[in-house]
Amino acid sequence: MFSLKRKTTGEALFDIANNLVMLCICFITLYPIWYVLINAFNDGNDAMLGGIYWWPRMFTLKNFDAVFASPGIMTAMGITVAKTVLGVLVHVFFTAMVAYALSRKGLIGGKLYILLGTITLFFNGGLIPTFLLNRDLHLLDNFLVYIIPVMFSFFDLIIFMTFFREIPEGLEEAARIDGANDWSIFLRVVLPVSMPVIATIALFHGVYQWNDYFSGIIYINNPDLQPIQTYLFRVVAQSSSNQMMVAVQGSSVTKTVTSQSIKLATMVVTTLPIVFVYPFLQRYFVKGMMIGSIKG
Amino acid sequence: MKKQLIPAVIETGSGRKSSLWKRLLAQRHLQTMALLGVVWMIIFNYIPMYGLIISFKDYNIVKSIAEAPWVGLDHFREFLDDEDLRNVIKNTLGISLIKLLIGFPLPIIFALFLNEVRSLRYKKTIQTISYLPHFLSWVVLGGILATWLADVGIINNILLALNVIDKPITYLAEPSYFWTIIITSDIWKELGWSAIIYLAAISGVSPEMYEAATIDGAGRFQKMWFVTLPSIRSTISILFILAVSGVLNSNFDQILVLRNSLNDSASNVIDYYIYYTGIVSNRFSYSAAVTLIKAVIALILLLIANQVSKKINDTSLF
């Protein structure tokens, strides 16, 4: 909008400096990730010598072979995929359903329902009572603990409601004249036109589900039900490589892989899916952030 | 549905009762949907809130919450007598206040300067890159940091090469480095993501304001300071209120990943303390009491921040 004017020297200097700073920020953001990536693709023993900064020195896929050869990791990956896909479907459907009902004018009790929900934004029972509840509901060591306690969020409901209220009324009335009831209007009219907001909430919840490791720590003892992030946590944070070394010994590539290089490869495998998905959803989440933020 | 509402308002007396029933019947599908949500909230939000009463009881696994004997404020007294208390409070407030002081303004500054980037394509690319770390889990980030900060890690290599240090430092084992690591890595992860909201607010500022400022002879910095910043003031206020009320939340995911027994004196924050006493040591009642103390303080902070913002900026949450 200023480009019609000729730039002054000061303006030009500002632009150069600003662009340089931005370039630095991009570098600082990307380089640590890049560093992990190239080390994951480098021979483990060679990597221990250090000095790998820009490109793998001894390129190898052995680290990834070792990762995929470990049954524990694949099970954990399967659990994570399952909890993310199922979790997102259930969360989006359930939250959108309640939001649709609450967004209708004249819903008897609507104000009370919204008050009940608003309170939950500010107060919660915290870790221990929630843990005791899930235990009493027999959700310990149960896959459903990843889905049911997070299938609804009042914050996401507000985002849905804001969107649903802007859907033209004529659309619903037309369906109603055709004899549709509220369920079929919700399923066949409202949901299909709400793809932007669905994508936003799906992304938010998908990221949560994919990255969540804490429920795996407190609710799950059975290693077959543990998600990949919990698996990684046990290796990375507790810096005990035992689990990894078991994985290595179980495979045929022991010689050139170190626990460190497998750790890096596991980190890459864990992260790649989300990095691939997010650019496609990017145009949605900016909008979603805006709707969500206005309500606080 | 809406047409049925109008006569319902006009009718009075006994007729009203039957019409309420009629309306309920007409919206039975909607009521089912809404009540499913309400039932979920009662179970998963309100029952845990009720469960907090165990902080006034001596709860153990054998009995139910109702059966457990009352002990009054014993657990609260115990917390005040705990020798860890000072450390826990110091770490929680210290980390959060520095995060607030540095981590809160940085995304605003980043958004202001990113907004000044002229090439739209370049701007989009920077944005895309800046959000990326938000999508990494703290577990993966903990792994990245452990790699960087290890004694044979890149940080030590560089510092050794530059002769800044003469022997490698094990950063994650030193309490004195913990806060810096926590705060820096948090900013690294969330800078771009937090800036989205400000960029959105900035994009809503009317171009005419900038044109007027240009005619008045304002430079780039002056436009940022006198036009952009005041225009996004209410967004900043709201986010600041929320940040203040969250001061006692110490980003538990991050702490849990980066803490270890060696840096405990700098990393034991209230959320970790609640987790440790409750889940690890099974002191459910005591842990719940600490949760309650935390919630009360957070509420007070929220109210204070809200009042201050109302006075200064005329912006408030409620």
Side-chain angles (χ1 to χ4, degrees):
Chain A
M1 67 192 98
F2 313 100
S3 55
L4 290 175
K5 285 197 168 171
R6 217 169 58 88
K7 276 198 234 175
T8 64
T9 331
E11 291 251 304
L13 275 176
F14 175 91
D15 281 332
I16 292 167
N18 194 24
N19 282 337
L20 278 177
V21 171
M22 290 298 157
L23 219 58
C24 283
I25 291 177
C26 289
F27 176 77
I28 295 169
T29 310
L30 285 181
Y31 185 68
I33 303 169
W34 179 246
Y35 183 77
V36 166
L37 206 63
I38 55 174
N39 275 281
F41 281 103
N42 198 79
D43 179 87
N45 290 316
D46 176 59
M48 287 212 289
L49 302 172
I52 298 168
Y53 297 127
W54 304 111
W55 206 246
R57 194 164 47 208
M58 286 179 70
F59 182 86
T60 177
L61 291 173
K62 293 244 164 63
N63 303 323
F64 291 93
D65 287 343
V67 169
F68 289 117
S70 155
I73 290 184
M74 289 320 283
T75 312
M77 198 60 157
I79 291 290
T80 295
V81 171
K83 91 197 254 277
T84 305
V85 172
L86 213 73
V88 165
L89 286 176
V90 172
H91 179 91
V92 165
F93 181 80
F94 191 76
T95 307
M97 176 193 81
V98 183
Y100 170 67
L102 295 194
S103 69
R104 297 302 89 183
K105 285 177 218 143
L107 183 82
I108 297 164
K111 276 198 176 141
L112 174 71
Y113 304 155
I114 287 177
L115 176 71
L116 278 173
T118 309
I119 291 171
T120 69
L121 291 179
F122 295 97
F123 302 98
N124 61 69
L127 183 65
I128 300 305
T130 307
F131 174 82
L132 296 176
L133 171 75
N134 286 332
R135 193 199 58 186
D136 293 345
L137 293 174
H138 301 287
L139 288 173
L140 263 57
D141 263 334
N142 183 341
F143 178 79
L144 291 176
V145 79
Y146 298 131
I147 313 292
I148 296 175
V150 289
M151 69 191 270
F152 179 76
S153 143
F154 197 74
F155 187 81
D156 293 351
L157 175 137
I158 293 172
I159 300 178
F160 270 123
M161 259 176 38
T162 314
F163 193 91
F164 290 161
R165 283 193 180 128
E166 275 165 25
I167 297 173
E169 285 182 28
L171 219 55
E172 282 176 48
E173 269 156 31
R176 206 173 290 281
I177 288 163
D178 290 342
N181 66 22
D182 291 308
W183 281 106
S184 41
I185 290 174
F186 169 61
L187 293 172
R188 299 206 189 135
V189 181
V190 173
L191 279 188
V193 300
S194 305
M195 283 331 271
V197 72
I198 288 175
T200 306
I201 305 294
L203 178 78
F204 287 176
H205 195 69
V207 170
Y208 162 78
Q209 284 286 3
W210 191 273
N211 286 343
D212 161 56
Y213 68 98
F214 190 60
S215 5
I217 291 177
I218 59 170
Y219 297 122
I220 301 294
N221 282 319
N222 179 357
D224 287 343
L225 282 175
Q226 137 184 281
I228 187 85
Q229 302 280 355
T230 311
Y231 180 96
L232 193 61
F233 172 79
R234 299 221 151 104
V235 180
V236 173
Q238 302 180 339
S239 57
S240 80
S241 330
N242 298 347
Q243 204 169 4
M244 280 297 174
M245 290 323 286
V246 172
V248 180
Q249 280 149 16
S251 67
S252 57
V253 285
T254 322
K255 287 286 184 291
T256 51
V257 215
T258 63
S259 67
Q260 172 68 11
S261 63
I262 295 202
K263 198 192 282 181
L264 296 176
T266 312
M267 278 156 57
V268 172
V269 171
T270 309
T271 309
L272 272 189
I274 222 155
V275 174
F276 274 126
V277 170
Y278 111 99
F280 299 103
L281 290 160
Q282 208 193 142
R283 62 197 175 107
Y284 295 126
F285 67 63
V286 173
K287 193 176 178 183
M289 278 278 282
M290 284 161 68
I291 304 173
S293 66
I294 293 159
K295 298 281 163 181
Chain B
M1 192 192 83
K2 260 162 234 122
K3 288 190 186 84
Q4 292 164 338
L5 292 180
I6 299 157
V9 177
I10 301 164
E11 278 176 44
T12 49
S14 62
R16 189 168 184 161
K17 208 174 177 183
S18 72
S19 97
L20 181 76
W21 180 245
K22 258 189 201 155
R23 280 168 62 205
L24 269 174
L25 203 69
Q27 48 178 251
R28 63 188 180 281
H29 297 307
L30 287 176
Q31 285 292 342
T32 313
M33 297 181 198
L35 286 172
L36 282 172
V38 171
V39 167
W40 188 97
M41 287 197 286
I42 288 169
I43 296 174
F44 288 98
N45 292 134
Y46 285 93
I47 290 182
M49 284 187 213
Y50 160 78
L52 273 176
I53 64 162
I54 64 168
S55 39
F56 303 98
K57 290 186 158 208
D58 220 349
Y59 175 79
N60 66 54
I61 308 171
V62 189
K63 289 176 196 154
S64 73
I65 293 178
E67 286 165 347
W70 293 96
V71 294
L73 297 174
D74 281 6
H75 301 299
F76 296 89
R77 281 194 205 101
E78 193 186 338
F79 179 65
L80 295 177
D81 290 338
D82 194 303
E83 48 190 33
D84 285 339
L85 173 71
R86 255 189 58 173
N87 213 19
V88 168
I89 298 286
K90 189 190 82 189
N91 291 330
T92 311
L93 288 180
I95 292 173
S96 297
L97 288 178
I98 299 175
K99 266 187 188 171
L100 204 61
L101 217 65
I102 305 173
F104 186 79
L106 271 182
I108 303 175
I109 298 170
F110 175 64
L112 284 175
F113 280 90
L114 185 59
N115 185 51
E116 298 290 326
V117 171
R118 286 165 187 237
S119 151
L120 200 67
R121 206 152 151 215
Y122 186 37
K123 195 164 151 182
K124 280 257 157 71
T125 313
I126 298 168
Q127 265 192 286
T128 308
I129 291 171
S130 70
Y131 317 138
L132 186 67
H134 171 79
F135 292 89
L136 304 183
S137 74
W138 272 114
V139 183
V140 167
L141 227 90
I144 294 180
L145 281 165
T147 316
W148 274 65
L149 300 169
D151 40 7
V152 293
I154 191 168
I155 302 278
N156 271 316
N157 287 346
I158 291 172
L159 293 181
L160 283 170
L162 294 173
N163 283 324
V164 180
I165 50 174
D166 46 14
K167 59 176 194 300
I169 301 168
T170 43
Y171 296 95
L172 282 170
E174 299 274 349
S176 53
Y177 292 108
F178 190 78
W179 288 14
T180 315
I181 296 170
I182 285 277
I183 290 152
T184 318
S185 56
D186 186 55
I187 292 172
W188 181 83
K189 190 176 191 285
E190 304 297 347
L191 180 76
W193 187 254
S194 321
I196 294 182
I197 210 103
Y198 299 114
L199 282 164
I202 291 172
S203 70
V205 180
S206 145
E208 284 160 29
M209 305 242 290
Y210 290 106
E211 278 158 28
T214 314
I215 290 164
D216 289 345
R220 294 286 276 275
F221 282 107
Q222 283 169 315
K223 271 183 249 175
M224 266 154 77
W225 188 256
F226 293 112
V227 179
T228 316
L229 209 53
S231 309
I232 60 171
R233 206 161 88 171
S234 61
T235 308
I236 295 175
S237 298
I238 295 283
L239 290 176
F240 190 74
I241 297 170
L242 293 173
V244 169
S245 68
V247 144
L248 297 185
N249 296 331
S250 25
N251 203 343
F252 185 55
D253 271 3
Q254 181 190 15
I255 299 273
L256 199 60
V257 163
L258 294 171
R259 73 161 298 285
N260 55 49
S261 51
L262 295 169
N263 61 31
D264 185 73
S265 64
S267 62
N268 194 356
V269 295
I270 199 155
D271 283 337
Y272 181 75
Y273 188 77
I274 289 169
Y275 164 72
Y276 186 81
T277 51
I279 302 289
V280 182
S281 313
N282 282 327
R283 295 163 66 196
F284 294 134
S285 285
Y286 178 66
S287 183
V290 181
T291 309
L292 206 54
I293 293 172
K294 187 192 150 190
V296 171
I297 300 174
L299 183 65
I300 295 170
L301 286 174
L302 174 71
L303 293 175
I304 294 174
N306 197 50
Q307 278 317 108
V308 169
S309 170
K310 213 184 227 170
K311 278 250 162 64
I312 297 177
N313 268 336
D314 229 18
T315 317
S316 61
L317 274 181
F318 40 81

